[in-house]
Short mmCIF file of all heavy atoms in Angstrom, two decimals:
data_model
loop_
_atom_site.label_atom_id
_atom_site.label_comp_id
_atom_site.label_asym_id
_atom_site.label_seq_id
_atom_site.Cartn_x
_atom_site.Cartn_y
_atom_site.Cartn_z
N MET A 1 4.75 -3.67 10.75
CA MET A 1 4.33 -4.54 9.69
C MET A 1 5.52 -4.81 8.76
O MET A 1 6.19 -3.89 8.34
CB MET A 1 3.19 -3.88 8.90
CG MET A 1 2.85 -4.57 7.61
SD MET A 1 1.59 -3.70 6.63
CE MET A 1 0.14 -4.05 7.56
N ARG A 2 5.74 -6.05 8.47
CA ARG A 2 6.78 -6.43 7.52
C ARG A 2 6.31 -6.18 6.09
O ARG A 2 5.11 -6.18 5.82
CB ARG A 2 7.14 -7.91 7.68
CG ARG A 2 7.79 -8.22 8.99
CD ARG A 2 8.06 -9.72 9.07
NE ARG A 2 8.66 -10.04 10.33
CZ ARG A 2 9.96 -10.27 10.50
NH1 ARG A 2 10.78 -10.22 9.47
NH2 ARG A 2 10.42 -10.57 11.68
N LEU A 3 7.27 -5.98 5.21
CA LEU A 3 6.91 -5.77 3.80
C LEU A 3 6.17 -6.95 3.20
O LEU A 3 5.28 -6.76 2.37
CB LEU A 3 8.16 -5.45 2.98
CG LEU A 3 8.66 -4.01 3.06
CD1 LEU A 3 9.95 -3.86 2.28
CD2 LEU A 3 7.62 -3.03 2.55
N THR A 4 6.52 -8.15 3.62
CA THR A 4 5.83 -9.34 3.08
C THR A 4 4.34 -9.28 3.44
O THR A 4 3.48 -9.62 2.62
CB THR A 4 6.45 -10.64 3.59
OG1 THR A 4 6.51 -10.61 5.01
CG2 THR A 4 7.83 -10.86 3.02
N GLU A 5 4.02 -8.86 4.64
CA GLU A 5 2.62 -8.73 5.06
C GLU A 5 1.94 -7.59 4.31
O GLU A 5 0.79 -7.70 3.89
CB GLU A 5 2.51 -8.52 6.57
CG GLU A 5 1.10 -8.37 7.07
CD GLU A 5 0.20 -9.58 6.84
OE1 GLU A 5 0.73 -10.69 6.59
OE2 GLU A 5 -1.03 -9.43 6.92
N PHE A 6 2.65 -6.50 4.13
CA PHE A 6 2.12 -5.38 3.36
C PHE A 6 1.71 -5.85 1.96
O PHE A 6 0.59 -5.59 1.52
CB PHE A 6 3.16 -4.25 3.26
CG PHE A 6 2.77 -3.15 2.36
CD1 PHE A 6 1.98 -2.12 2.81
CD2 PHE A 6 3.19 -3.13 1.03
CE1 PHE A 6 1.60 -1.07 1.96
CE2 PHE A 6 2.82 -2.10 0.18
CZ PHE A 6 2.02 -1.08 0.64
N TRP A 7 2.61 -6.54 1.29
CA TRP A 7 2.32 -6.99 -0.08
C TRP A 7 1.24 -8.07 -0.11
O TRP A 7 0.40 -8.10 -1.02
CB TRP A 7 3.58 -7.44 -0.81
CG TRP A 7 4.41 -6.26 -1.17
CD1 TRP A 7 5.60 -5.88 -0.64
CD2 TRP A 7 4.08 -5.25 -2.13
NE1 TRP A 7 6.04 -4.70 -1.19
CE2 TRP A 7 5.12 -4.28 -2.11
CE3 TRP A 7 3.01 -5.04 -2.97
CZ2 TRP A 7 5.11 -3.16 -2.92
CZ3 TRP A 7 3.00 -3.91 -3.79
CH2 TRP A 7 4.04 -2.99 -3.76
N ARG A 8 1.17 -8.91 0.90
CA ARG A 8 0.10 -9.91 0.96
C ARG A 8 -1.25 -9.22 0.99
O ARG A 8 -2.18 -9.60 0.28
CB ARG A 8 0.27 -10.81 2.19
CG ARG A 8 -0.75 -11.95 2.24
CD ARG A 8 -0.78 -12.65 3.58
NE ARG A 8 -1.32 -11.82 4.65
CZ ARG A 8 -2.62 -11.54 4.83
NH1 ARG A 8 -3.52 -11.97 3.98
NH2 ARG A 8 -3.00 -10.80 5.86
N ARG A 9 -1.34 -8.18 1.80
CA ARG A 9 -2.59 -7.43 1.91
C ARG A 9 -2.90 -6.65 0.64
O ARG A 9 -4.06 -6.56 0.22
CB ARG A 9 -2.55 -6.49 3.10
CG ARG A 9 -2.56 -7.24 4.42
CD ARG A 9 -2.50 -6.28 5.58
NE ARG A 9 -2.27 -6.99 6.83
CZ ARG A 9 -2.49 -6.46 8.02
NH1 ARG A 9 -2.91 -5.20 8.13
NH2 ARG A 9 -2.26 -7.16 9.11
N MET A 10 -1.88 -6.06 0.02
CA MET A 10 -2.08 -5.35 -1.24
C MET A 10 -2.64 -6.31 -2.30
O MET A 10 -3.59 -5.99 -3.00
CB MET A 10 -0.77 -4.74 -1.74
CG MET A 10 -0.31 -3.52 -0.99
SD MET A 10 -1.24 -2.00 -1.39
CE MET A 10 -0.63 -1.65 -3.04
N TYR A 11 -2.04 -7.49 -2.41
CA TYR A 11 -2.49 -8.50 -3.38
C TYR A 11 -3.90 -8.97 -3.07
O TYR A 11 -4.71 -9.18 -3.98
CB TYR A 11 -1.53 -9.68 -3.44
CG TYR A 11 -0.14 -9.35 -3.92
CD1 TYR A 11 0.93 -10.15 -3.54
CD2 TYR A 11 0.13 -8.27 -4.72
CE1 TYR A 11 2.22 -9.88 -3.95
CE2 TYR A 11 1.42 -7.98 -5.15
CZ TYR A 11 2.46 -8.78 -4.76
OH TYR A 11 3.73 -8.51 -5.17
N ALA A 12 -4.21 -9.12 -1.80
CA ALA A 12 -5.54 -9.58 -1.41
C ALA A 12 -6.60 -8.54 -1.77
O ALA A 12 -7.71 -8.89 -2.21
CB ALA A 12 -5.58 -9.89 0.09
N HIS A 13 -6.26 -7.28 -1.61
CA HIS A 13 -7.25 -6.23 -1.91
C HIS A 13 -7.36 -5.93 -3.40
O HIS A 13 -8.47 -5.86 -3.94
CB HIS A 13 -6.91 -4.95 -1.15
CG HIS A 13 -7.87 -3.83 -1.44
ND1 HIS A 13 -9.16 -3.84 -0.99
CD2 HIS A 13 -7.73 -2.68 -2.17
CE1 HIS A 13 -9.79 -2.75 -1.42
NE2 HIS A 13 -8.93 -2.03 -2.14
N PHE A 14 -6.25 -5.74 -4.06
CA PHE A 14 -6.26 -5.30 -5.45
C PHE A 14 -6.13 -6.41 -6.48
O PHE A 14 -6.43 -6.20 -7.65
CB PHE A 14 -5.09 -4.32 -5.70
CG PHE A 14 -5.22 -3.00 -5.01
CD1 PHE A 14 -4.44 -2.70 -3.92
CD2 PHE A 14 -6.11 -2.05 -5.46
CE1 PHE A 14 -4.52 -1.47 -3.29
CE2 PHE A 14 -6.22 -0.81 -4.84
CZ PHE A 14 -5.43 -0.53 -3.74
N GLY A 15 -5.63 -7.57 -6.06
CA GLY A 15 -5.22 -8.59 -7.03
C GLY A 15 -3.76 -8.33 -7.35
O GLY A 15 -3.29 -7.19 -7.27
N GLU A 16 -3.02 -9.38 -7.69
CA GLU A 16 -1.58 -9.25 -7.81
C GLU A 16 -1.15 -8.26 -8.90
O GLU A 16 -0.33 -7.38 -8.67
CB GLU A 16 -0.94 -10.60 -8.05
CG GLU A 16 0.56 -10.56 -7.88
CD GLU A 16 1.19 -11.93 -7.78
OE1 GLU A 16 0.50 -12.87 -7.40
OE2 GLU A 16 2.38 -12.02 -8.09
N ALA A 17 -1.75 -8.37 -10.08
CA ALA A 17 -1.32 -7.51 -11.19
C ALA A 17 -1.67 -6.05 -10.92
O ALA A 17 -0.82 -5.16 -11.10
CB ALA A 17 -1.97 -7.96 -12.49
N TYR A 18 -2.88 -5.77 -10.44
CA TYR A 18 -3.25 -4.37 -10.21
C TYR A 18 -2.52 -3.79 -9.00
O TYR A 18 -2.22 -2.61 -9.00
CB TYR A 18 -4.77 -4.21 -10.06
CG TYR A 18 -5.15 -2.75 -9.97
CD1 TYR A 18 -4.93 -1.91 -11.05
CD2 TYR A 18 -5.69 -2.22 -8.82
CE1 TYR A 18 -5.24 -0.56 -10.99
CE2 TYR A 18 -6.00 -0.88 -8.74
CZ TYR A 18 -5.78 -0.05 -9.82
OH TYR A 18 -6.07 1.29 -9.74
N ALA A 19 -2.24 -4.60 -7.99
CA ALA A 19 -1.49 -4.10 -6.83
C ALA A 19 -0.13 -3.55 -7.26
O ALA A 19 0.29 -2.48 -6.81
CB ALA A 19 -1.30 -5.21 -5.79
N GLU A 20 0.53 -4.27 -8.13
CA GLU A 20 1.84 -3.82 -8.65
C GLU A 20 1.69 -2.51 -9.43
O GLU A 20 2.48 -1.58 -9.25
CB GLU A 20 2.48 -4.90 -9.52
CG GLU A 20 2.83 -6.17 -8.79
CD GLU A 20 4.02 -6.04 -7.85
OE1 GLU A 20 4.80 -5.08 -8.01
OE2 GLU A 20 4.16 -6.87 -6.96
N SER A 21 0.67 -2.45 -10.26
CA SER A 21 0.44 -1.24 -11.05
C SER A 21 0.08 -0.06 -10.16
O SER A 21 0.61 1.03 -10.31
CB SER A 21 -0.67 -1.49 -12.06
OG SER A 21 -1.01 -0.33 -12.76
N PHE A 22 -0.84 -0.29 -9.23
CA PHE A 22 -1.25 0.77 -8.30
C PHE A 22 -0.05 1.30 -7.53
O PHE A 22 0.13 2.50 -7.41
CB PHE A 22 -2.31 0.22 -7.34
CG PHE A 22 -2.77 1.24 -6.34
CD1 PHE A 22 -3.80 2.11 -6.65
CD2 PHE A 22 -2.17 1.34 -5.09
CE1 PHE A 22 -4.21 3.07 -5.72
CE2 PHE A 22 -2.58 2.29 -4.17
CZ PHE A 22 -3.60 3.15 -4.50
N ALA A 23 0.76 0.40 -7.00
CA ALA A 23 1.90 0.79 -6.16
C ALA A 23 2.93 1.59 -6.95
O ALA A 23 3.62 2.45 -6.39
CB ALA A 23 2.56 -0.45 -5.56
N SER A 24 3.04 1.33 -8.23
CA SER A 24 4.05 2.00 -9.06
C SER A 24 3.55 3.26 -9.74
O SER A 24 4.34 4.15 -10.04
CB SER A 24 4.57 1.04 -10.12
OG SER A 24 5.21 -0.05 -9.52
N ASP A 25 2.25 3.34 -10.00
CA ASP A 25 1.73 4.39 -10.87
C ASP A 25 0.83 5.41 -10.19
O ASP A 25 0.69 6.54 -10.68
CB ASP A 25 0.95 3.78 -12.03
CG ASP A 25 1.80 2.87 -12.88
OD1 ASP A 25 3.03 3.07 -12.95
OD2 ASP A 25 1.25 1.94 -13.50
N HIS A 26 0.18 5.07 -9.10
CA HIS A 26 -0.81 5.94 -8.47
C HIS A 26 -0.14 6.89 -7.48
O HIS A 26 0.31 6.47 -6.41
CB HIS A 26 -1.88 5.10 -7.78
CG HIS A 26 -3.04 5.89 -7.27
ND1 HIS A 26 -4.04 6.31 -8.11
CD2 HIS A 26 -3.33 6.34 -6.04
CE1 HIS A 26 -4.92 6.99 -7.38
NE2 HIS A 26 -4.51 7.02 -6.13
N VAL A 27 -0.06 8.15 -7.83
CA VAL A 27 0.55 9.17 -6.95
C VAL A 27 -0.50 9.59 -5.94
O VAL A 27 -1.63 9.91 -6.29
CB VAL A 27 1.03 10.38 -7.77
CG1 VAL A 27 1.54 11.48 -6.85
CG2 VAL A 27 2.11 9.96 -8.76
N MET A 28 -0.09 9.58 -4.67
CA MET A 28 -1.05 9.89 -3.58
C MET A 28 -0.57 11.12 -2.82
O MET A 28 0.56 11.14 -2.29
CB MET A 28 -1.15 8.69 -2.65
CG MET A 28 -1.58 7.42 -3.39
SD MET A 28 -1.67 5.98 -2.31
CE MET A 28 -3.19 6.38 -1.45
N SER A 29 -1.42 12.12 -2.73
CA SER A 29 -1.07 13.32 -1.98
C SER A 29 -0.82 12.99 -0.52
O SER A 29 0.02 13.62 0.13
CB SER A 29 -2.16 14.38 -2.13
OG SER A 29 -3.39 13.90 -1.61
N GLU A 30 -1.52 12.00 0.00
CA GLU A 30 -1.36 11.60 1.40
C GLU A 30 0.03 11.01 1.69
O GLU A 30 0.43 10.91 2.84
CB GLU A 30 -2.44 10.57 1.80
CG GLU A 30 -3.85 11.06 1.69
CD GLU A 30 -4.45 10.96 0.29
OE1 GLU A 30 -3.73 10.56 -0.66
OE2 GLU A 30 -5.62 11.28 0.14
N LEU A 31 0.73 10.64 0.65
CA LEU A 31 2.10 10.12 0.78
C LEU A 31 3.11 11.17 0.31
O LEU A 31 4.21 10.84 -0.12
CB LEU A 31 2.27 8.82 -0.02
CG LEU A 31 1.45 7.63 0.48
CD1 LEU A 31 1.61 6.44 -0.47
CD2 LEU A 31 1.84 7.24 1.90
N GLY A 32 2.72 12.40 0.36
CA GLY A 32 3.63 13.48 -0.03
C GLY A 32 3.84 13.59 -1.53
O GLY A 32 4.92 13.98 -1.98
N GLY A 33 2.82 13.20 -2.30
CA GLY A 33 2.95 13.25 -3.76
C GLY A 33 3.79 12.12 -4.31
O GLY A 33 4.39 12.25 -5.37
N ARG A 34 3.84 11.03 -3.58
CA ARG A 34 4.60 9.85 -4.00
C ARG A 34 3.69 8.68 -4.28
O ARG A 34 2.55 8.65 -3.82
CB ARG A 34 5.60 9.44 -2.90
CG ARG A 34 6.66 10.45 -2.65
CD ARG A 34 7.56 9.99 -1.54
NE ARG A 34 8.70 10.89 -1.42
CZ ARG A 34 9.35 11.11 -0.31
NH1 ARG A 34 9.01 10.50 0.80
NH2 ARG A 34 10.39 11.93 -0.31
N THR A 35 4.22 7.72 -5.00
CA THR A 35 3.52 6.45 -5.14
C THR A 35 3.82 5.59 -3.91
O THR A 35 4.68 5.92 -3.10
CB THR A 35 4.00 5.69 -6.40
OG1 THR A 35 5.37 5.30 -6.21
CG2 THR A 35 3.87 6.51 -7.66
N VAL A 36 3.12 4.48 -3.80
CA VAL A 36 3.38 3.55 -2.69
C VAL A 36 4.83 3.10 -2.72
O VAL A 36 5.52 3.12 -1.69
CB VAL A 36 2.41 2.35 -2.78
CG1 VAL A 36 2.85 1.21 -1.88
CG2 VAL A 36 0.99 2.78 -2.43
N ARG A 37 5.30 2.71 -3.85
CA ARG A 37 6.69 2.24 -3.96
C ARG A 37 7.67 3.34 -3.59
O ARG A 37 8.64 3.09 -2.88
CB ARG A 37 7.00 1.73 -5.37
CG ARG A 37 6.38 0.39 -5.64
CD ARG A 37 7.09 -0.30 -6.79
NE ARG A 37 6.50 -1.58 -7.03
CZ ARG A 37 6.82 -2.70 -6.39
NH1 ARG A 37 7.72 -2.67 -5.45
NH2 ARG A 37 6.24 -3.85 -6.67
N GLN A 38 7.46 4.54 -4.06
CA GLN A 38 8.35 5.66 -3.75
C GLN A 38 8.34 5.95 -2.24
O GLN A 38 9.40 6.21 -1.67
CB GLN A 38 7.95 6.90 -4.53
CG GLN A 38 8.25 6.82 -5.99
CD GLN A 38 7.61 7.95 -6.78
OE1 GLN A 38 6.61 8.54 -6.37
NE2 GLN A 38 8.21 8.27 -7.93
N ALA A 39 7.18 5.91 -1.63
CA ALA A 39 7.08 6.16 -0.20
C ALA A 39 7.85 5.10 0.59
O ALA A 39 8.59 5.42 1.52
CB ALA A 39 5.62 6.21 0.24
N LEU A 40 7.71 3.84 0.21
CA LEU A 40 8.42 2.76 0.89
C LEU A 40 9.92 2.90 0.69
O LEU A 40 10.70 2.75 1.63
CB LEU A 40 7.94 1.41 0.40
CG LEU A 40 6.51 1.02 0.79
CD1 LEU A 40 6.06 -0.23 0.04
CD2 LEU A 40 6.37 0.83 2.30
N GLU A 41 10.34 3.21 -0.53
CA GLU A 41 11.77 3.38 -0.83
C GLU A 41 12.36 4.58 -0.10
O GLU A 41 13.55 4.59 0.22
CB GLU A 41 11.98 3.50 -2.34
CG GLU A 41 11.73 2.19 -3.07
CD GLU A 41 11.67 2.32 -4.57
OE1 GLU A 41 11.88 3.45 -5.09
OE2 GLU A 41 11.40 1.31 -5.24
N ALA A 42 11.52 5.59 0.18
CA ALA A 42 11.99 6.78 0.89
C ALA A 42 12.06 6.56 2.40
O ALA A 42 12.46 7.45 3.12
CB ALA A 42 11.08 7.95 0.57
N GLY A 43 11.64 5.38 2.83
CA GLY A 43 11.77 5.07 4.25
C GLY A 43 10.48 5.13 5.05
O GLY A 43 10.52 4.95 6.28
N ARG A 44 9.34 5.41 4.40
CA ARG A 44 8.09 5.38 5.15
C ARG A 44 7.83 3.97 5.64
O ARG A 44 8.10 3.00 4.94
CB ARG A 44 6.91 5.82 4.27
CG ARG A 44 6.89 7.25 3.83
CD ARG A 44 6.39 8.25 4.84
NE ARG A 44 5.04 8.07 5.31
CZ ARG A 44 3.99 8.78 4.92
NH1 ARG A 44 4.12 9.70 3.98
NH2 ARG A 44 2.80 8.57 5.45
N GLU A 45 7.31 3.85 6.84
CA GLU A 45 6.99 2.54 7.42
C GLU A 45 5.84 1.91 6.63
O GLU A 45 4.87 2.57 6.25
CB GLU A 45 6.55 2.71 8.88
CG GLU A 45 7.66 3.18 9.78
CD GLU A 45 8.69 2.11 10.04
OE1 GLU A 45 8.34 0.91 10.01
OE2 GLU A 45 9.86 2.46 10.27
N ALA A 46 5.95 0.59 6.41
CA ALA A 46 4.93 -0.12 5.66
C ALA A 46 3.56 0.02 6.31
O ALA A 46 2.55 0.17 5.63
CB ALA A 46 5.31 -1.60 5.52
N LYS A 47 3.50 -0.01 7.64
CA LYS A 47 2.21 0.11 8.32
C LYS A 47 1.57 1.47 8.07
O LYS A 47 0.35 1.58 7.93
CB LYS A 47 2.33 -0.16 9.81
CG LYS A 47 3.12 0.88 10.57
CD LYS A 47 3.22 0.54 12.04
CE LYS A 47 4.09 1.60 12.71
NZ LYS A 47 4.23 1.35 14.13
N ASP A 48 2.38 2.52 7.98
CA ASP A 48 1.85 3.86 7.71
C ASP A 48 1.35 3.98 6.27
O ASP A 48 0.30 4.56 6.02
CB ASP A 48 2.92 4.92 7.98
CG ASP A 48 3.32 4.96 9.44
OD1 ASP A 48 2.51 4.60 10.32
OD2 ASP A 48 4.48 5.35 9.72
N VAL A 49 2.09 3.40 5.34
CA VAL A 49 1.66 3.40 3.94
C VAL A 49 0.37 2.59 3.81
O VAL A 49 -0.56 3.00 3.12
CB VAL A 49 2.78 2.86 3.01
CG1 VAL A 49 2.28 2.75 1.58
CG2 VAL A 49 4.01 3.74 3.09
N TRP A 50 0.31 1.46 4.50
CA TRP A 50 -0.90 0.62 4.43
C TRP A 50 -2.10 1.38 4.96
O TRP A 50 -3.19 1.30 4.40
CB TRP A 50 -0.68 -0.69 5.19
CG TRP A 50 -1.89 -1.56 5.13
CD1 TRP A 50 -2.67 -1.96 6.17
CD2 TRP A 50 -2.50 -2.13 3.97
NE1 TRP A 50 -3.72 -2.73 5.74
CE2 TRP A 50 -3.64 -2.85 4.38
CE3 TRP A 50 -2.20 -2.09 2.60
CZ2 TRP A 50 -4.47 -3.52 3.48
CZ3 TRP A 50 -3.03 -2.77 1.72
CH2 TRP A 50 -4.12 -3.46 2.16
N ARG A 51 -1.94 2.13 6.03
CA ARG A 51 -3.06 2.92 6.58
C ARG A 51 -3.57 3.93 5.56
O ARG A 51 -4.78 4.12 5.43
CB ARG A 51 -2.63 3.64 7.85
CG ARG A 51 -2.54 2.74 9.05
CD ARG A 51 -2.24 3.52 10.32
NE ARG A 51 -1.93 2.58 11.39
CZ ARG A 51 -0.85 2.64 12.13
NH1 ARG A 51 0.06 3.58 11.94
NH2 ARG A 51 -0.64 1.74 13.07
N VAL A 52 -2.65 4.56 4.85
CA VAL A 52 -3.06 5.50 3.80
C VAL A 52 -3.84 4.78 2.71
O VAL A 52 -4.90 5.24 2.27
CB VAL A 52 -1.85 6.26 3.22
CG1 VAL A 52 -2.23 7.04 1.97
CG2 VAL A 52 -1.23 7.16 4.27
N VAL A 53 -3.34 3.63 2.27
CA VAL A 53 -4.04 2.85 1.25
C VAL A 53 -5.43 2.47 1.76
O VAL A 53 -6.42 2.63 1.04
CB VAL A 53 -3.22 1.60 0.85
CG1 VAL A 53 -4.04 0.69 -0.07
CG2 VAL A 53 -1.91 2.00 0.18
N CYS A 54 -5.51 2.01 2.98
CA CYS A 54 -6.82 1.62 3.55
C CYS A 54 -7.79 2.79 3.57
O CYS A 54 -8.95 2.65 3.18
CB CYS A 54 -6.65 1.08 4.98
SG CYS A 54 -5.85 -0.51 5.07
N ASP A 55 -7.31 3.93 4.03
CA ASP A 55 -8.17 5.10 4.17
C ASP A 55 -8.64 5.66 2.84
O ASP A 55 -9.74 6.20 2.76
CB ASP A 55 -7.46 6.19 4.97
CG ASP A 55 -7.24 5.82 6.43
OD1 ASP A 55 -7.86 4.85 6.91
OD2 ASP A 55 -6.43 6.49 7.10
N THR A 56 -7.82 5.55 1.82
CA THR A 56 -8.16 6.18 0.54
C THR A 56 -8.77 5.22 -0.48
O THR A 56 -9.39 5.68 -1.43
CB THR A 56 -6.92 6.84 -0.10
OG1 THR A 56 -5.93 5.85 -0.35
CG2 THR A 56 -6.38 7.94 0.81
N GLN A 57 -8.59 3.92 -0.27
CA GLN A 57 -9.02 2.96 -1.30
C GLN A 57 -10.11 2.00 -0.85
O GLN A 57 -10.38 1.00 -1.52
CB GLN A 57 -7.81 2.16 -1.80
CG GLN A 57 -6.72 3.02 -2.39
CD GLN A 57 -7.21 3.89 -3.52
OE1 GLN A 57 -7.83 3.40 -4.47
NE2 GLN A 57 -6.94 5.18 -3.45
N GLY A 58 -10.72 2.25 0.28
CA GLY A 58 -11.84 1.44 0.71
C GLY A 58 -11.49 -0.01 1.01
O GLY A 58 -12.26 -0.92 0.68
N VAL A 59 -10.36 -0.23 1.64
CA VAL A 59 -9.94 -1.58 2.00
C VAL A 59 -10.87 -2.12 3.07
O VAL A 59 -11.21 -1.41 4.02
CB VAL A 59 -8.47 -1.58 2.48
CG1 VAL A 59 -8.06 -2.95 2.96
CG2 VAL A 59 -7.55 -1.09 1.38
N SER A 60 -11.28 -3.36 2.91
CA SER A 60 -12.21 -3.98 3.87
C SER A 60 -11.59 -4.09 5.25
O SER A 60 -10.38 -4.18 5.41
CB SER A 60 -12.65 -5.38 3.40
OG SER A 60 -11.61 -6.29 3.59
N SER A 61 -12.43 -4.07 6.24
CA SER A 61 -11.96 -4.15 7.63
C SER A 61 -11.24 -5.45 7.91
O SER A 61 -10.40 -5.51 8.81
CB SER A 61 -13.13 -3.97 8.60
OG SER A 61 -14.11 -4.99 8.40
N VAL A 62 -11.51 -6.47 7.16
CA VAL A 62 -10.83 -7.78 7.34
C VAL A 62 -9.33 -7.66 7.06
O VAL A 62 -8.52 -8.31 7.73
CB VAL A 62 -11.45 -8.84 6.41
CG1 VAL A 62 -10.68 -10.14 6.45
CG2 VAL A 62 -12.92 -9.04 6.75
N LEU A 63 -8.94 -6.82 6.11
CA LEU A 63 -7.52 -6.66 5.73
C LEU A 63 -6.82 -5.56 6.49
O LEU A 63 -5.62 -5.42 6.39
CB LEU A 63 -7.42 -6.39 4.24
CG LEU A 63 -7.83 -7.51 3.31
CD1 LEU A 63 -7.81 -7.06 1.87
CD2 LEU A 63 -6.91 -8.71 3.51
N ARG A 64 -7.53 -4.77 7.23
CA ARG A 64 -6.91 -3.64 7.92
C ARG A 64 -6.08 -4.11 9.04
O ARG A 64 -5.57 -4.52 9.72
CB ARG A 64 -7.95 -2.67 8.44
CG ARG A 64 -8.53 -1.87 7.28
CD ARG A 64 -9.55 -0.87 7.80
NE ARG A 64 -10.06 -0.13 6.69
CZ ARG A 64 -9.92 1.16 6.54
NH1 ARG A 64 -9.33 1.88 7.43
NH2 ARG A 64 -10.42 1.77 5.49
#
């Protein structure tokens, strides 16, 4: 998954403003105690981060 697709899905699920806030502020134990942004910057694959977001945040099957 490309980062552009990752962010498209984040915006579709959370809305643009909240997606940015969630990605920067919400620490997730499933990402090793990192935020979405920190996990991506540390080299985690976007598809893996997206799966964690889907599993923990109730993302609709349409966006999965």
Side-chain angles (χ1 to χ4, degrees):
M1 169 185 286
R2 293 178 181 258
L3 280 176
T4 53
E5 179 62 18
F6 173 85
W7 287 110
R8 185 192 69 76
R9 292 180 189 196
M10 286 285 288
Y11 296 155
H13 179 70
F14 291 107
E16 193 166 336
Y18 186 64
E20 295 288 341
S21 175
F22 179 87
S24 297
D25 300 333
H26 188 79
V27 175
M28 303 178 75
S29 61
E30 299 84 356
L31 295 175
R34 295 178 171 152
T35 66
V36 166
R37 286 201 179 275
Q38 289 170 335
L40 292 170
E41 290 169 3
R44 292 280 300 257
E45 293 288 331
K47 67 181 177 179
D48 296 333
V49 175
W50 180 244
R51 284 185 190 127
V52 169
V53 172
C54 289
D55 292 346
T56 61
Q57 302 303 308
V59 175
S60 75
S61 60
V62 173
L63 294 174
R64 286 181 180 243

